[in-house]
Amino acid sequence: MPLLECRNISRYFGGLRAVGGLNLTLEPGELVGLIGPNGAGKTTVFNMITGIFPPTEGQVLLEGRDLSGLASFQVTQLGIARTFQNIRLYKEMSVLDNVRTAMHAGRGYGLFDALLRTRRFGAAERRLTEQAEALLERMKLTARRDEPAGSLPYGEQRRLEIARALATSPKLLLLDEPAAGMNPSEVGELLELVRSIQRDFGLTILLIEHQMSLVMNLCQRLVVLDFGEVIARGTPAEIQSDARVLEAYLGKGATA
Amino acid sequence: MVQFIEQVINGLQLGFVYALIALGYTMVYGIIRLINFAHGDVFMIGAFVGYFGFAVWGLPWPVAILVSMAVCAVVGMAIERLAYRPLRAKGAPNIATLITAIGVSLFIEYFTSLKFVFGPNYRVVARPFAVQVFHLGPVSISSVQILVITVVLVLVAGLQYIVYRTKVGKAMRAVSHDRDAARLMGIDVDRVISYTFAIGSALAAAAGVLFALAYPQISPFMGIMPGLKAFTAAVLGGIGSIPGALLGAVLMGQAETLTAAYITTDFRDAIAFGILILVLLLRPAGLLGKAGPEKV
Amino acid sequence: MRARSFAIAGAILGLYGLLELLRQTGIISAYWAQIMDLSLIITISAVGLSLIYGFTGQFSLGHAAFYGVGAYTAGFVSKTLGAGAPGFVLALVAGAVAAGLVALLIGLPILRLRSDYLGIATLGFGVIIRVLLDNSHKLSPTLGGAKGMMGVPQLASFVWIFWLAVGAIWLAANLIRSSYGRACISIREDEVAADLMGVNTTALKTLAFVVGGALAGLAGALYAHRYPFLHPSTFDYLKSLDVLLVVVLGGLGSLTGTVVTAIGWVFLLEWLRAVLPSEYMDLRGVVYALVLIVLMIARPQGLLGGSSAKGGKRRATA
């Protein structure tokens, strides 16, 4: 069974079509890139999958289960996590708490345990903290544990976003331009990081990215969007030589 | 039926007064996203200045309205300059500005209640003219009602002219659409905001004088309820929208007058705010407002 | 950790003993004792609003409505059951539960609204409650309507008020320093992101609103049993504003700031009453308003806490 299946999904914003009739299937363990020019509708696809702006038409299925009508937090609890193109960390919370907050659904205690500080509360909090610290270690953020997230440099904020997404224990990870604003050496590190977390956490990853070096080296398969429609699918090598993709990126006549 | 028509006319009079106040709320909100809590108190000052004008200084009432509008325009600009602009310059959180606005409102109310200012008590307003009643068939309509409705229509037409036919109006619309872009285009944003306060406050002043003529009792705390209701009207119509403020105010005036006439007077305010909450829930952008999806 | 908890508990017990001694011996006069009680009652209510607004970011201009619901419910229960400790406890519980229930009923629909709009909706809710209290005699003559309610047994002694305030602060602190509290703060920081990280934002906002409303209700219930005259005007929009100011001046997201500011604010207002010559009593409102404006312009991020990062966030589009 495919992990994720988007069946003919479309999204309209007041008469304007952002995405039309998209079909997309991800098998478990795949690492797929979603590319296309600015305004092609890539982030809208993420928003439809995560239920912020549910598809106007069509269905999204996770492991065969229809996600229609679910709230975003329910979609996340079923195993889809994401990062944001324009970083959306909780700026005033500490780095550790950013990660721990994402574990709320799996906190393992109830309201009265929290209010009365029961033994169960203590044990569960210790476990949450250890898991969060392990994720920070993994993302090389241990030294920043107690700093407010907003004070971190850009590249570290991007890594913290990934750590926070992983803390929700996802099966599918959606990364929205994780390399935006990074220099080439940071992009190189990110590439290794994404590969290793995919392997170690057994993740399926769908990635939006403009940095072609990253996309071409990382993804097994690419889907190209333009004006809300898929214009090409294939391996990085196939996409690089696709005339329509070049045209979408560079304009008509550029292929001649 | 005759009684119903007369109630509708009463509601129209009230709604038109609300409309003048609501315009100031909606213009200021449109331009700096601030619920200017002090606006109802500017309305109160307008009522007092107008009252002094025709009852104490012996001015003809149209002149009293103009004097009141001029005084309140200055008051409005002063409030903006002294209280809100320093916060804007600091990039303070919205909530700080909102609370400051509440502070300004309280300041005006308590300051004007002092004995050497307006004093804390109600004053009964002696109208500068005898009230005549006209009969259109079985329906009677008073000269005060005709006066209120006419003055409001003239002022709204004037506002429409300023907003859509003058350079200031164009700048106001530009700033309200995109402040940063307007600044880059060389518009003096602070000055435009100042003009907006001046115009909104002048309209509130006129509303105050009309209110004093129509419901002849004034006090330093008289601005609170009409202010809240006018704001409700602005939200109802779609905040930031001038036609919306007018529509919302007219509906608000009708709702309030008709409930009082046919259902209950005790719960009048509760019903007004019940409507507000329902509108916010069912159509948060208001009747004529537009809402865009939040960018993610 | 454990040692620290014992030290804090010991310090609070010591503080209570000292205050009780000073009151019994008359060193703290009945007048100032009454102000002290009021400051603790306001603290309980302010801690409630701190949960709602300071930590969860849900702007409310109607907090006094919950305070009023608690006071009237508790007063009604107590007057009906008659004096006595069991009736008093029941009245306190009833006040808190009634306010919590009202918060649930009103919160479920209106917590979908954001910032200014939520503020206006809660303000409207406050006006509605005020109007209902003004007309409450139609429901039961005991409630008194616009004439006010008298004859509630004055059973809220210092021992009750002090320890309930401590308890309220303790519960609020526990809530904040748990996964629930972190989830609430994440909603304040970025509601969309919180939702996408698996936080049921509706449930948590409602939780904060209900707990915060119930605390205000408890405070109101204590008030009803401490001051012999209840009137709808004690629970109107200006009172909501008082509590909001305390929470904002204390620094959003600082429980310590809320508590210190609540106590300081009540004493400041009384001190103003004490120092201003009686012919200048009218100036009190003017001074209050001026202090408020100057404080907000000078320190828009609050008096305590409030890092510069805090001022930069929730930056005004204004």
Coordinates of all heavy atoms in Angstrom, one line a residue, chain C residues 248-306:
Chain C
V248 N -0.9 42.6 31.9 CA 0.0 43.2 30.9 C 1.2 43.9 31.5 O 2.3 43.7 31.1 CB -0.8 44.2 30.0 CG1 0.2 45.0 29.1 CG2 -1.8 43.5 29.1
L249 N 0.9 44.6 32.6 CA 2.0 45.3 33.3 C 3.0 44.3 33.9 O 4.2 44.6 34.0 CB 1.5 46.3 34.3 CG 0.8 47.5 33.8 CD1 0.2 48.4 34.9 CD2 1.7 48.3 32.9
G250 N 2.4 43.2 34.4 CA 3.3 42.2 35.0 C 4.1 41.5 34.0 O 5.0 40.7 34.4
G251 N 3.9 41.7 32.7 CA 4.7 41.0 31.7 C 3.9 39.8 31.2 O 3.7 38.9 32.1
L252 N 3.6 39.7 30.0 CA 2.8 38.5 29.5 C 3.6 37.3 29.6 O 4.8 37.3 29.3 CB 2.4 38.7 28.0 CG 1.4 39.9 27.8 CD1 1.1 40.0 26.3 CD2 0.2 39.7 28.6
G253 N 3.0 36.2 30.2 CA 3.8 35.0 30.3 C 4.7 35.0 31.5 O 5.6 34.2 31.6
S254 N 4.4 35.8 32.5 CA 5.2 35.8 33.8 C 4.2 35.7 34.9 O 3.5 36.7 35.2 CB 6.0 37.1 33.9 OG 6.4 37.2 35.2
L255 N 4.1 34.5 35.5 CA 3.2 34.3 36.6 C 3.6 35.2 37.8 O 2.8 35.8 38.5 CB 3.1 32.8 37.0 CG 1.9 32.4 37.8 CD1 0.6 32.7 37.0 CD2 2.0 30.9 38.1
T256 N 4.9 35.2 38.1 CA 5.4 36.0 39.2 C 5.0 37.5 39.0 O 4.6 38.1 39.9 CB 6.9 35.9 39.3 OG1 7.3 34.6 39.0 CG2 7.5 36.3 40.6
G257 N 5.2 37.9 37.8 CA 4.9 39.3 37.4 C 3.4 39.6 37.7 O 3.1 40.6 38.3
T258 N 2.6 38.6 37.3 CA 1.1 38.8 37.5 C 0.8 39.0 39.0 O 0.1 39.9 39.4 CB 0.3 37.6 37.0 OG1 0.6 37.5 35.6 CG2 -1.1 37.8 37.2
V259 N 1.4 38.1 39.8 CA 1.1 38.1 41.2 C 1.6 39.4 41.9 O 0.8 40.0 42.6 CB 1.7 36.8 41.9 CG1 1.6 36.9 43.4 CG2 1.1 35.6 41.4
V260 N 2.8 39.7 41.6 CA 3.4 40.9 42.2 C 2.6 42.2 41.8 O 2.3 43.0 42.6 CB 4.9 41.0 41.9 CG1 5.5 42.4 42.3 CG2 5.7 39.9 42.5
T261 N 2.3 42.2 40.5 CA 1.6 43.4 40.0 C 0.2 43.5 40.6 O -0.2 44.6 40.9 CB 1.6 43.4 38.5 OG1 2.8 43.1 38.0 CG2 1.2 44.8 37.9
A262 N -0.5 42.4 40.7 CA -1.8 42.4 41.2 C -1.8 43.0 42.6 O -2.6 43.9 43.0 CB -2.4 41.0 41.2
I263 N -0.9 42.5 43.5 CA -0.9 43.0 44.9 C -0.5 44.4 44.9 O -1.1 45.3 45.5 CB 0.1 42.1 45.7 CG1 -0.5 40.7 45.8 CG2 0.3 42.7 47.1 CD1 0.4 39.7 46.4
G264 N 0.6 44.8 44.1 CA 1.1 46.1 44.0 C 0.0 47.1 43.5 O -0.2 48.2 44.1
W265 N -0.7 46.7 42.5 CA -1.7 47.6 41.9 C -2.8 47.9 42.9 O -3.2 49.1 43.0 CB -2.3 46.8 40.7 CG -3.2 47.7 39.8 CD1 -4.5 47.5 39.7 CD2 -2.8 48.7 38.9 NE1 -5.0 48.5 38.8 CE2 -3.9 49.2 38.3 CE3 -1.5 49.3 38.7 CZ2 -3.9 50.2 37.4 CZ3 -1.5 50.3 37.7 CH2 -2.7 50.8 37.1
V266 N -3.4 46.9 43.6 CA -4.4 47.2 44.6 C -3.9 48.2 45.7 O -4.6 49.1 46.0 CB -4.9 45.9 45.2 CG1 -5.9 46.2 46.3 CG2 -5.6 45.0 44.1
F267 N -2.7 47.9 46.2 CA -2.2 48.8 47.2 C -1.9 50.2 46.6 O -2.1 51.2 47.3 CB -0.9 48.2 47.8 CG -1.2 47.2 48.9 CD1 -1.3 45.8 48.7 CD2 -1.5 47.7 50.2 CE1 -1.7 45.0 49.6 CE2 -1.8 46.8 51.2 CZ -1.9 45.4 50.9
L268 N -1.4 50.3 45.4 CA -1.2 51.6 44.8 C -2.5 52.4 44.7 O -2.5 53.6 45.1 CB -0.6 51.4 43.4 CG -0.4 52.7 42.6 CD1 0.8 53.5 43.1 CD2 -0.3 52.5 41.1
L269 N -3.5 51.8 44.3 CA -4.8 52.5 44.2 C -5.3 53.0 45.5 O -5.8 54.1 45.7 CB -5.9 51.6 43.5 CG -5.7 51.3 42.0 CD1 -6.9 50.6 41.5 CD2 -5.5 52.6 41.3
E270 N -5.1 52.1 46.6 CA -5.6 52.5 47.9 C -4.7 53.6 48.5 O -5.1 54.5 49.1 CB -5.5 51.3 48.8 CG -6.7 50.4 48.8 CD -8.0 51.2 48.7 OE1 -8.3 52.1 49.6 OE2 -8.8 51.0 47.8
W271 N -3.4 53.5 48.1 CA -2.4 54.5 48.6 C -2.8 55.9 48.0 O -2.7 56.9 48.7 CB -1.0 54.1 48.2 CG 0.0 55.0 48.6 CD1 0.6 55.3 49.8 CD2 0.7 55.9 47.7 NE1 1.5 56.3 49.7 CE2 1.6 56.7 48.4 CE3 0.6 56.2 46.3 CZ2 2.4 57.7 47.9 CZ3 1.4 57.2 45.7 CH2 2.3 57.9 46.5
L272 N -3.1 55.8 46.7 CA -3.6 57.1 46.1 C -4.8 57.7 46.8 O -4.8 58.9 47.0 CB -4.0 56.8 44.6 CG -3.0 56.9 43.5 CD1 -3.6 56.6 42.2 CD2 -2.3 58.2 43.5
R273 N -5.7 56.8 47.2 CA -6.9 57.3 48.0 C -6.4 57.9 49.3 O -6.9 58.9 49.7 CB -7.8 56.1 48.2 CG -9.1 56.5 48.8 CD -9.8 55.4 49.5 NE -10.2 54.3 48.6 CZ -11.3 54.2 47.9 NH1 -12.2 55.2 48.0 NH2 -11.6 53.2 47.2
A274 N -5.4 57.3 49.9 CA -4.9 57.8 51.2 C -4.2 59.1 51.1 O -4.3 59.9 51.9 CB -4.1 56.7 51.8
V275 N -3.3 59.2 50.1 CA -2.5 60.4 50.0 C -3.2 61.6 49.4 O -2.9 62.8 49.7 CB -1.2 60.2 49.3 CG1 -0.3 59.2 50.0 CG2 -1.4 59.8 47.8
L276 N -4.2 61.4 48.5 CA -4.8 62.5 47.9 C -5.8 63.2 48.9 O -6.6 62.5 49.5 CB -5.6 62.1 46.6 CG -4.8 61.8 45.4 CD1 -5.7 61.3 44.3 CD2 -4.1 63.0 44.9
P277 N -5.7 64.5 49.1 CA -6.6 65.2 49.9 C -8.1 65.0 49.4 O -8.2 64.8 48.2 CB -6.2 66.7 49.8 CG -4.9 66.7 49.2 CD -4.7 65.4 48.4
S278 N -9.0 64.9 50.3 CA -10.3 64.5 49.9 C -10.9 65.4 48.8 O -11.7 64.9 47.9 CB -11.3 64.5 51.1 OG -11.3 65.8 51.7
E279 N -10.5 66.7 48.8 CA -11.1 67.6 47.7 C -10.6 67.2 46.4 O -11.1 67.6 45.4 CB -10.9 69.0 48.0 CG -9.5 69.5 48.1 CD -9.0 69.5 49.6 OE1 -9.3 68.6 50.3 OE2 -8.2 70.4 49.9
Y280 N -9.4 66.4 46.4 CA -8.9 66.0 45.1 C -9.2 64.6 44.7 O -8.6 64.0 43.8 CB -7.4 66.2 45.1 CG -6.9 67.7 45.1 CD1 -6.3 68.2 46.3 CD2 -7.2 68.5 44.1 CE1 -5.9 69.5 46.3 CE2 -6.8 69.9 44.1 CZ -6.2 70.4 45.3 OH -5.9 71.7 45.3
M281 N -10.1 64.0 45.5 CA -10.5 62.6 45.2 C -10.8 62.4 43.8 O -10.5 61.3 43.2 CB -11.7 62.2 46.1 CG -11.3 61.6 47.4 SD -9.9 60.5 47.4 CE -10.6 59.1 46.7
D282 N -11.5 63.4 43.2 CA -11.9 63.2 41.8 C -10.7 63.0 40.9 O -10.8 62.5 39.8 CB -12.6 64.5 41.3 CG -13.8 64.8 42.1 OD1 -14.2 63.9 42.8 OD2 -14.3 65.9 42.0
L283 N -9.5 63.4 41.3 CA -8.3 63.3 40.5 C -7.8 61.9 40.4 O -7.0 61.6 39.5 CB -7.2 64.2 41.1 CG -7.2 65.6 40.7 CD1 -6.1 66.4 41.5 CD2 -7.1 65.8 39.2
R284 N -8.3 61.0 41.2 CA -7.8 59.6 41.3 C -8.0 59.0 39.9 O -7.0 58.3 39.4 CB -8.6 58.8 42.3 CG -7.8 57.7 42.9 CD -8.4 57.3 44.2 NE -9.6 56.6 44.0 CZ -9.7 55.2 44.1 NH1 -8.7 54.5 44.5 NH2 -10.8 54.6 43.8
G285 N -9.1 59.1 39.3 CA -9.3 58.5 38.0 C -8.3 59.1 36.9 O -7.8 58.4 36.1
V286 N -8.1 60.4 37.0 CA -7.2 61.1 36.1 C -5.8 60.5 36.3 O -5.1 60.2 35.3 CB -7.2 62.6 36.3 CG1 -6.3 63.3 35.3 CG2 -8.7 63.1 36.1
V287 N -5.4 60.4 37.5 CA -4.0 59.9 37.8 C -3.9 58.5 37.3 O -2.9 58.1 36.7 CB -3.7 60.0 39.3 CG1 -2.4 59.4 39.6 CG2 -3.7 61.5 39.7
Y288 N -4.9 57.7 37.6 CA -4.9 56.3 37.2 C -4.7 56.2 35.7 O -3.9 55.5 35.2 CB -6.3 55.7 37.6 CG -6.6 54.3 37.1 CD1 -6.4 53.2 38.0 CD2 -7.1 54.1 35.9 CE1 -6.7 51.9 37.6 CE2 -7.5 52.8 35.4 CZ -7.3 51.7 36.3 OH -7.6 50.5 35.9
A289 N -5.5 57.0 35.0 CA -5.4 56.9 33.5 C -4.0 57.4 33.0 O -3.4 56.8 32.1 CB -6.5 57.8 32.9
L290 N -3.5 58.5 33.6 CA -2.2 59.0 33.2 C -1.1 58.0 33.5 O -0.2 57.8 32.6 CB -1.9 60.3 33.9 CG -2.5 61.6 33.2 CD1 -2.1 62.8 34.0 CD2 -1.9 61.7 31.8
V291 N -1.2 57.4 34.7 CA -0.1 56.4 35.0 C -0.2 55.3 34.0 O 0.9 54.8 33.4 CB -0.4 55.8 36.4 CG1 0.4 54.6 36.7 CG2 -0.1 56.8 37.5
L292 N -1.4 54.9 33.6 CA -1.5 53.8 32.7 C -0.9 54.2 31.3 O -0.1 53.4 30.7 CB -3.0 53.5 32.5 CG -3.4 52.6 31.4 CD1 -2.8 51.2 31.6 CD2 -4.9 52.5 31.4
I293 N -1.2 55.4 30.8 CA -0.7 55.8 29.5 C 0.8 55.9 29.5 O 1.5 55.3 28.6 CB -1.4 57.1 29.1 CG1 -2.9 57.0 28.9 CG2 -0.7 57.7 27.8 CD1 -3.6 58.4 28.8
V294 N 1.3 56.5 30.6 CA 2.8 56.7 30.6 C 3.5 55.4 30.7 O 4.5 55.1 30.0 CB 3.1 57.6 31.8 CG1 4.6 57.7 32.1 CG2 2.6 59.0 31.6
L295 N 2.9 54.5 31.6 CA 3.6 53.1 31.7 C 3.6 52.4 30.4 O 4.6 51.8 30.0 CB 2.8 52.3 32.7 CG 3.1 52.6 34.2 CD1 2.3 51.7 35.1 CD2 4.6 52.4 34.5
M296 N 2.4 52.5 29.6 CA 2.4 51.7 28.4 C 3.3 52.3 27.4 O 4.0 51.6 26.6 CB 0.9 51.8 27.8 CG -0.1 50.8 28.4 SD 0.5 49.3 29.1 CE 0.9 48.4 27.6
I297 N 3.5 53.6 27.3 CA 4.4 54.2 26.3 C 5.8 54.0 26.7 O 6.7 53.7 25.9 CB 4.1 55.8 26.2 CG1 2.7 56.0 25.6 CG2 5.1 56.4 25.3 CD1 2.3 57.4 25.5
A298 N 6.1 54.0 28.0 CA 7.5 53.8 28.5 C 7.9 52.4 28.4 O 9.0 52.1 28.0 CB 7.6 54.3 29.9
R299 N 7.0 51.5 28.8 CA 7.4 50.0 28.8 C 6.2 49.2 28.2 O 5.5 48.5 28.9 CB 7.7 49.6 30.2 CG 9.0 50.1 30.8 CD 9.4 49.3 32.0 NE 9.7 47.9 31.8 CZ 10.8 47.4 31.3 NH1 11.8 48.2 31.0 NH2 10.9 46.1 31.1
P300 N 6.1 49.3 26.9 CA 5.0 48.5 26.2 C 5.1 47.0 26.5 O 4.1 46.4 26.3 CB 5.1 48.9 24.7 CG 6.4 49.6 24.6 CD 6.9 50.0 25.9
Q301 N 6.2 46.5 26.9 CA 6.3 45.0 27.1 C 6.0 44.7 28.5 O 6.2 43.5 28.9 CB 7.7 44.5 26.6 CG 8.8 45.0 27.6 CD 9.4 46.4 27.3 OE1 8.6 47.3 26.9 NE2 10.6 46.6 27.5
G302 N 5.5 45.6 29.3 CA 5.2 45.3 30.7 C 6.3 45.7 31.6 O 7.4 46.0 31.2
L303 N 6.0 45.8 32.9 CA 7.0 46.3 33.9 C 8.0 45.3 34.2 O 9.2 45.6 34.3 CB 6.2 46.7 35.2 CG 5.4 47.9 35.2 CD1 4.8 48.2 36.5 CD2 6.3 49.1 34.8
L304 N 7.6 44.0 34.5 CA 8.5 43.0 34.9 C 8.7 42.0 33.7 O 8.0 42.1 32.8 CB 7.9 42.2 36.1 CG 7.5 43.1 37.2 CD1 6.6 42.4 38.2 CD2 8.8 43.6 37.9
G305 N 9.7 41.2 33.8 CA 9.9 40.2 32.8 C 10.1 41.0 31.5 O 10.8 42.0 31.5
G306 N 9.4 40.6 30.4 CA 9.4 41.4 29.2 C 10.8 41.7 28.7 O 11.3 42.8 28.8

